[in-house]
CSV table of all heavy atoms in Angstrom, one decimal:
chain,number,residue,atom,x,y,z
A,1,PHE,N,-4.3,3.1,8.1
A,1,PHE,CA,-3.0,2.7,9.0
A,1,PHE,C,-2.2,1.7,8.3
A,1,PHE,O,-1.1,1.4,8.7
A,1,PHE,CB,-3.3,2.4,10.4
A,1,PHE,CG,-4.1,1.2,10.7
A,1,PHE,CD1,-3.5,-0.2,10.7
A,1,PHE,CD2,-5.5,1.2,10.9
A,1,PHE,CE1,-4.3,-1.3,10.9
A,1,PHE,CE2,-6.3,0.1,11.2
A,1,PHE,CZ,-5.6,-1.1,11.1
A,2,VAL,N,-2.7,1.0,7.4
A,2,VAL,CA,-2.0,-0.1,6.5
A,2,VAL,C,-1.5,0.5,5.2
A,2,VAL,O,-0.5,0.4,4.8
A,2,VAL,CB,-2.9,-1.3,6.4
A,2,VAL,CG1,-2.2,-2.2,5.3
A,2,VAL,CG2,-3.1,-2.1,7.5
A,3,LEU,N,-2.5,1.2,4.5
A,3,LEU,CA,-2.3,1.7,3.2
A,3,LEU,C,-1.2,2.8,3.2
A,3,LEU,O,-0.3,2.8,2.3
A,3,LEU,CB,-3.5,2.2,2.6
A,3,LEU,CG,-4.6,1.1,2.4
A,3,LEU,CD1,-5.9,1.8,2.0
A,3,LEU,CD2,-4.1,0.3,1.2
A,4,GLN,N,-1.2,3.7,4.1
A,4,GLN,CA,-0.3,4.8,4.1
A,4,GLN,C,1.2,4.4,4.2
A,4,GLN,O,2.1,4.7,3.5
A,4,GLN,CB,-0.6,5.9,5.2
A,4,GLN,CG,0.3,7.1,5.2
A,4,GLN,CD,0.2,7.9,3.9
A,4,GLN,OE1,-0.8,8.2,3.4
A,4,GLN,NE2,1.4,8.3,3.3
A,5,PRO,N,1.4,3.6,5.3
A,5,PRO,CA,2.9,3.0,5.3
A,5,PRO,C,3.3,2.1,4.2
A,5,PRO,O,4.3,2.2,3.7
A,5,PRO,CB,2.9,2.4,6.7
A,5,PRO,CG,1.5,2.2,7.2
A,5,PRO,CD,0.7,3.1,6.4
A,6,LEU,N,2.3,1.4,3.7
A,6,LEU,CA,2.6,0.5,2.5
A,6,LEU,C,2.9,1.4,1.2
A,6,LEU,O,3.9,1.0,0.7
A,6,LEU,CB,1.4,-0.4,2.2
A,6,LEU,CG,1.5,-1.2,0.9
A,6,LEU,CD1,2.5,-2.3,1.1
A,6,LEU,CD2,0.1,-1.9,0.7
A,7,LEU,N,2.2,2.5,1.1
A,7,LEU,CA,2.5,3.3,-0.1
A,7,LEU,C,3.8,4.0,0.2
A,7,LEU,O,4.5,4.4,-0.8
A,7,LEU,CB,1.4,4.3,-0.3
A,7,LEU,CG,0.1,3.6,-0.9
A,7,LEU,CD1,-1.1,4.6,-0.8
A,7,LEU,CD2,0.4,3.3,-2.4
A,8,GLU,N,4.2,4.3,1.4
A,8,GLU,CA,5.5,4.9,1.6
A,8,GLU,C,6.7,4.0,1.1
A,8,GLU,O,7.7,4.5,0.6
A,8,GLU,CB,5.6,5.1,3.1
A,8,GLU,CG,6.9,5.8,3.7
A,8,GLU,CD,6.9,6.0,5.1
A,8,GLU,OE1,5.9,6.3,5.7
A,8,GLU,OE2,8.0,5.7,5.6
A,9,ILE,N,6.5,2.7,1.1
A,9,ILE,CA,7.4,1.7,0.7
A,9,ILE,C,7.4,1.5,-0.8
A,9,ILE,O,8.4,1.4,-1.5
A,9,ILE,CB,7.3,0.4,1.5
A,9,ILE,CG1,7.6,0.6,2.9
A,9,ILE,CG2,8.2,-0.7,0.9
A,9,ILE,CD1,7.2,-0.6,3.8
A,10,VAL,N,6.2,1.3,-1.3
A,10,VAL,CA,6.0,1.1,-2.8
A,10,VAL,C,4.8,1.9,-3.3
A,10,VAL,O,3.7,1.6,-3.1
A,10,VAL,CB,5.9,-0.4,-3.0
A,10,VAL,CG1,4.6,-1.0,-2.3
A,10,VAL,CG2,5.7,-0.8,-4.5
A,11,ALA,N,5.2,3.0,-3.9
A,11,ALA,CA,4.2,4.1,-4.3
A,11,ALA,C,3.1,3.7,-5.3
A,11,ALA,O,2.1,4.2,-5.4
A,11,ALA,CB,4.9,5.3,-4.8
A,12,ASP,N,3.6,2.6,-6.1
A,12,ASP,CA,2.6,2.2,-7.1
A,12,ASP,C,2.0,0.8,-6.9
A,12,ASP,O,1.6,0.0,-7.7
A,12,ASP,CB,3.4,2.0,-8.5
A,12,ASP,CG,4.6,1.1,-8.5
A,12,ASP,OD1,4.9,0.6,-7.3
A,12,ASP,OD2,5.1,0.7,-9.6
A,13,CYS,N,1.8,0.6,-5.6
A,13,CYS,CA,1.3,-0.7,-5.1
A,13,CYS,C,-0.1,-1.0,-5.7
A,13,CYS,O,-1.0,-0.2,-5.6
A,13,CYS,CB,1.3,-0.8,-3.5
A,13,CYS,SG,0.7,-2.4,-3.0
A,14,VAL,N,-0.4,-2.2,-6.1
A,14,VAL,CA,-1.6,-2.7,-6.5
A,14,VAL,C,-2.0,-3.9,-5.7
A,14,VAL,O,-1.2,-4.8,-5.4
A,14,VAL,CB,-1.6,-3.1,-8.0
A,14,VAL,CG1,-3.0,-3.7,-8.4
A,14,VAL,CG2,-1.2,-1.9,-8.9
A,15,ILE,N,-3.2,-3.8,-5.1
A,15,ILE,CA,-3.7,-4.9,-4.2
A,15,ILE,C,-4.5,-5.9,-5.1
A,15,ILE,O,-5.5,-5.5,-5.7
A,15,ILE,CB,-4.6,-4.4,-3.1
A,15,ILE,CG1,-3.8,-3.4,-2.3
A,15,ILE,CG2,-5.1,-5.5,-2.3
A,15,ILE,CD1,-4.5,-2.6,-1.3
A,16,PRO,N,-4.0,-7.2,-5.2
A,16,PRO,CA,-4.8,-8.0,-6.1
A,16,PRO,C,-6.2,-8.2,-5.8
A,16,PRO,O,-6.6,-8.3,-4.5
A,16,PRO,CB,-4.1,-9.4,-5.9
A,16,PRO,CG,-2.6,-9.0,-5.5
A,16,PRO,CD,-2.8,-7.7,-4.7
A,17,GLY,N,-7.1,-8.1,-6.8
A,17,GLY,CA,-8.5,-8.0,-6.5
A,17,GLY,C,-9.1,-6.8,-6.1
A,17,GLY,O,-10.4,-6.6,-5.9
A,18,ARG,N,-8.3,-5.8,-5.7
A,18,ARG,CA,-8.8,-4.5,-5.2
A,18,ARG,C,-8.5,-3.3,-6.1
A,18,ARG,O,-9.1,-2.3,-6.0
A,18,ARG,CB,-8.4,-4.4,-3.8
A,18,ARG,CG,-8.8,-5.4,-2.8
A,18,ARG,CD,-10.3,-5.3,-2.6
A,18,ARG,NE,-10.7,-6.3,-1.6
A,18,ARG,CZ,-12.0,-6.4,-1.3
A,18,ARG,NH1,-13.0,-5.6,-1.8
A,18,ARG,NH2,-12.4,-7.4,-0.5
A,19,GLY,N,-7.3,-3.4,-6.6
A,19,GLY,CA,-6.7,-2.3,-7.4
A,19,GLY,C,-5.7,-1.4,-6.7
A,19,GLY,O,-5.0,-2.0,-5.8
A,20,SER,N,-5.6,-0.2,-7.2
A,20,SER,CA,-4.5,0.7,-6.7
A,20,SER,C,-4.7,1.0,-5.3
A,20,SER,O,-5.7,1.3,-4.8
A,20,SER,CB,-4.7,1.9,-7.5
A,20,SER,OG,-4.0,2.9,-6.8
A,21,ALA,N,-3.6,0.8,-4.5
A,21,ALA,CA,-3.5,1.2,-3.0
A,21,ALA,C,-3.8,2.7,-2.9
A,21,ALA,O,-4.4,3.1,-1.8
A,21,ALA,CB,-2.3,0.7,-2.4
A,22,VAL,N,-3.4,3.4,-3.8
A,22,VAL,CA,-3.7,4.9,-3.7
A,22,VAL,C,-5.1,5.2,-3.7
A,22,VAL,O,-5.6,6.0,-2.9
A,22,VAL,CB,-2.9,5.6,-4.9
A,22,VAL,CG1,-3.4,7.1,-5.0
A,22,VAL,CG2,-1.5,5.6,-4.8
A,23,ALA,N,-5.9,4.5,-4.7
A,23,ALA,CA,-7.3,4.7,-4.7
A,23,ALA,C,-7.9,4.2,-3.5
A,23,ALA,O,-8.9,4.8,-2.9
A,23,ALA,CB,-7.9,4.0,-5.9
A,24,CYS,N,-7.5,3.1,-2.9
A,24,CYS,CA,-8.0,2.6,-1.6
A,24,CYS,C,-7.8,3.5,-0.5
A,24,CYS,O,-8.8,3.7,0.4
A,24,CYS,CB,-7.4,1.2,-1.3
A,24,CYS,SG,-7.9,-0.2,-2.3
A,25,LEU,N,-6.6,4.2,-0.5
A,25,LEU,CA,-6.3,5.1,0.6
A,25,LEU,C,-7.3,6.3,0.5
A,25,LEU,O,-7.8,6.9,1.5
A,25,LEU,CB,-4.8,5.5,0.6
A,25,LEU,CG,-4.4,6.5,1.6
A,25,LEU,CD1,-4.6,6.0,3.0
A,25,LEU,CD2,-3.0,6.9,1.5
A,26,ALA,N,-7.5,6.8,-0.7
A,26,ALA,CA,-8.4,7.9,-1.0
A,26,ALA,C,-9.7,7.7,-0.3
A,26,ALA,O,-10.5,8.5,0.2
A,26,ALA,CB,-8.5,8.3,-2.4
A,27,ALA,N,-10.2,6.4,-0.4
A,27,ALA,CA,-11.6,6.0,0.1
A,27,ALA,C,-11.5,5.9,1.6
A,27,ALA,O,-12.5,5.8,2.2
A,27,ALA,CB,-12.0,4.6,-0.5
A,28,CYS,N,-10.3,6.0,2.3
A,28,CYS,CA,-10.2,5.9,3.7
A,28,CYS,C,-9.8,7.3,4.4
A,28,CYS,O,-9.3,7.3,5.4
A,28,CYS,CB,-9.1,5.0,4.1
A,28,CYS,SG,-9.3,3.3,3.6
A,29,ALA,N,-10.1,8.4,3.5
A,29,ALA,CA,-9.7,9.6,3.9
A,29,ALA,C,-10.2,10.1,5.3
A,29,ALA,O,-9.5,11.0,5.9
A,29,ALA,CB,-10.1,10.7,2.8
A,30,GLU,N,-11.3,9.6,5.8
A,30,GLU,CA,-11.8,10.0,7.0
A,30,GLU,C,-11.1,9.3,8.3
A,30,GLU,O,-11.4,9.6,9.5
A,30,GLU,CB,-13.3,9.6,7.2
A,30,GLU,CG,-13.6,8.2,7.4
A,30,GLU,CD,-13.3,7.2,6.2
A,30,GLU,OE1,-13.1,7.6,5.2
A,30,GLU,OE2,-13.5,6.0,6.5
A,31,GLN,N,-10.1,8.5,8.0
A,31,GLN,CA,-9.4,7.7,9.0
A,31,GLN,C,-8.1,8.5,9.3
A,31,GLN,O,-7.1,8.4,8.6
A,31,GLN,CB,-9.0,6.3,8.7
A,31,GLN,CG,-10.2,5.5,8.4
A,31,GLN,CD,-9.9,4.0,7.9
A,31,GLN,OE1,-8.7,3.7,8.1
A,31,GLN,NE2,-10.8,3.4,7.2
A,32,PRO,N,-8.0,9.2,10.4
A,32,PRO,CA,-6.8,10.0,10.7
A,32,PRO,C,-5.6,9.1,11.1
A,32,PRO,O,-5.8,8.1,11.7
A,32,PRO,CB,-7.3,11.0,11.8
A,32,PRO,CG,-8.4,10.2,12.5
A,32,PRO,CD,-8.9,9.5,11.5
């Protein structure tokens, strides 16, 4: 619920210390 709207604003977002927001969102796929 944070990553999807964040990526809507900035598609290539990188989270310092965590990496790509796209990769983080993929790890949250079970959260509808």
